[in-house]
Amino acid sequence: MSFVLRPALFAIDAERAHGLTIDMLAAWGATGTPLAPRPPALPVTVAGLTFPNPLGLAAGADKDGRAIAGFFGLGFGAVEVGTLTPLPQAGNPRPRLFRLAEDRAVINRMGFNNGGLAAALPRARAAKRTGILGINVGANKDATDRIADYESAVAAAAPIADHVTINISSPNTPGLRELQHGPALVDLLTRSAAARGTTPLFLKIAPDQEPAQIDEIARAAIDAGVDALIVGNTTVSRPTLRSSNAIEQGGLSGAPLAALAAQRLRDFRAATGGKLALIAVGGIDSGAEAYARLRAGASLIQLYTGLVYGGPGLPVQIVRDLAAFLARDGFASIEDAIGSA
């Protein structure tokens, strides 16, 4: 996970390179993250949780919670592991992860590959935390009752996580995004809210939404007592791309997603009327972009693909840039900047 190793990592299959990166971060975390950088303290409180800074690692990077301490060591104020399903599953056939280097982007069609909740939760419980730990849960592909899968997953993760995220936004499990609408959404949120106990519950939704769908999700989330919306996930749309891998099927993430993700943040800000905390993700790869999302209404921000191209120093650099922007603009805290644009 260093620029010294980046040429070697980029020379091999993307999924294998990702696995090696997780191995390195896990090993570093096991030694106590020596020489870890110290980002400035920029505390922000969301859902009753105080985050040491607003930058989080998005789900998908550490699916099985193997490198939690290592990712915290990079300077993240929050780490979200998963997506974890009740039972282990292999995911979609390989190859299923593709770099679009010319576009600073990635396409994936992983399909919730993970070792299951029972394997990951003990690692999450034992991990050293220097920030907020979220556990992102999903349904197994072959589940006969997907809402029951979410209900049981939330109940299992809630005693260990600082917050639990319901992920119904992946484009790589057929039919999953249908849970974002109609009676299924209401049923899912009602049952998951009952299963979470007192643990904050977040909902992760896709950026590929029409205005009526945005209003429907916002109303359902507020009515169910969801604590925050993560806006959003990868997109199945395709802006103009240069890489030959642009033809691959799956969800697109990285720099080309920034405009769509920023627009959806504004849309959900309007739809929720400030009644629900928003977490921005998608195309965030700099302090300037992170700051713009905060000022557009996000209380927190997350990234994953930005690390692929920005390297391990990116999290601390973003937090340092945020501190500089706050000072430049006369804001005393992150909360003062949220929604100020």
Side-chain angles (χ1 to χ4, degrees):
M1 192 64 181
S2 72
F3 278 171
V4 174
L5 295 176
R6 176 175 164 173
L9 290 173
F10 270 49
I12 62 177
D13 170 75
E15 187 168 350
R16 184 181 173 207
H18 178 74
L20 291 172
T21 298
I22 295 296
D23 288 344
M24 288 186 281
L25 282 168
W28 185 48
T31 65
T33 61
L35 304 179
R38 292 189 178 184
L42 294 177
V44 56
T45 299
V46 174
L49 303 171
T50 299
F51 295 69
N53 67 64
L55 181 63
L57 177 74
D62 190 5
K63 287 179 177 288
D64 289 302
R66 293 179 51 229
I68 293 169
F71 277 112
F72 275 126
L74 296 182
F76 286 105
V79 170
E80 188 168 311
V81 301
T83 298
L84 290 164
T85 53
L87 299 176
Q89 63 181 28
N92 294 323
R94 301 189 188 201
R96 55 195 180 180
L97 183 65
F98 307 90
R99 301 183 195 91
L100 285 70
E102 299 90 339
D103 304 292
R104 296 178 65 85
V106 165
I107 288 175
N108 92 82
R109 49 175 181 264
M110 305 298 286
F112 283 175
N113 59 304
N114 73 105
L117 276 159
L121 291 183
R123 287 192 289 269
R125 186 190 297 274
K128 179 183 177 182
R129 308 181 191 182
T130 56
I132 298 298
L133 179 65
I135 297 179
N136 182 299
V137 300
N140 282 108
K141 181 178 181 179
D142 59 356
T144 56
D145 184 346
R146 285 183 171 169
I147 294 178
D149 263 23
Y150 280 99
E151 186 177 26
S152 65
V154 169
I160 297 169
D162 293 312
H163 71 81
V164 179
T165 296
I166 306 169
N167 183 5
I168 53 174
S169 58
S170 170
N172 299 316
T173 298
L176 187 77
R177 287 187 171 187
E178 293 173 9
L179 292 174
Q180 295 179 125
H181 313 295
L185 175 63
V186 174
D187 191 24
L188 169 71
L189 295 181
T190 300
R191 290 166 63 178
S192 295
R196 54 85 176 263
T198 59
T199 302
L201 185 69
F202 295 1
L203 175 65
K204 185 166 184 171
I205 47 84
D208 306 310
Q209 306 281 349
E210 298 298 326
Q213 296 170 329
I214 291 169
D215 289 339
E216 178 186 26
I217 292 169
R219 286 196 304 272
I222 292 169
D223 290 346
V226 169
D227 295 282
L229 285 180
I230 301 179
V231 186
N233 203 327
T234 60
T235 180
V236 295
S237 67
R238 290 294 184 269
T240 301
L241 299 168
R242 294 179 293 163
S243 171
S244 60
N245 279 336
I247 63 171
E248 297 293 344
Q249 297 296 308
L252 174 72
S253 61
L257 180 56
L260 175 61
Q263 181 58 53
R264 286 297 168 270
L265 173 65
R266 292 189 290 269
D267 293 340
F268 274 98
R269 176 73 171 175
T272 59
K275 296 178 181 178
L276 198 57
L278 303 176
I279 302 170
V281 59
I284 296 172
D285 58 7
S286 69
E289 185 62 36
Y291 189 55
R293 302 291 178 94
L294 291 170
R295 296 200 64 185
S299 297
L300 301 166
I301 56 225
Q302 292 183 341
L303 63 84
Y304 169 14
T305 302
L307 278 178
V308 175
Y309 298 102
L314 182 63
V316 166
Q317 187 59 57
I318 286 177
V319 178
R320 287 173 177 163
D321 287 347
L322 288 176
F325 291 140
L326 292 173
R328 180 196 67 188
D329 295 340
F331 294 117
S333 67
I334 289 291
E335 279 95 345
D336 290 343
I338 293 169
S340 60

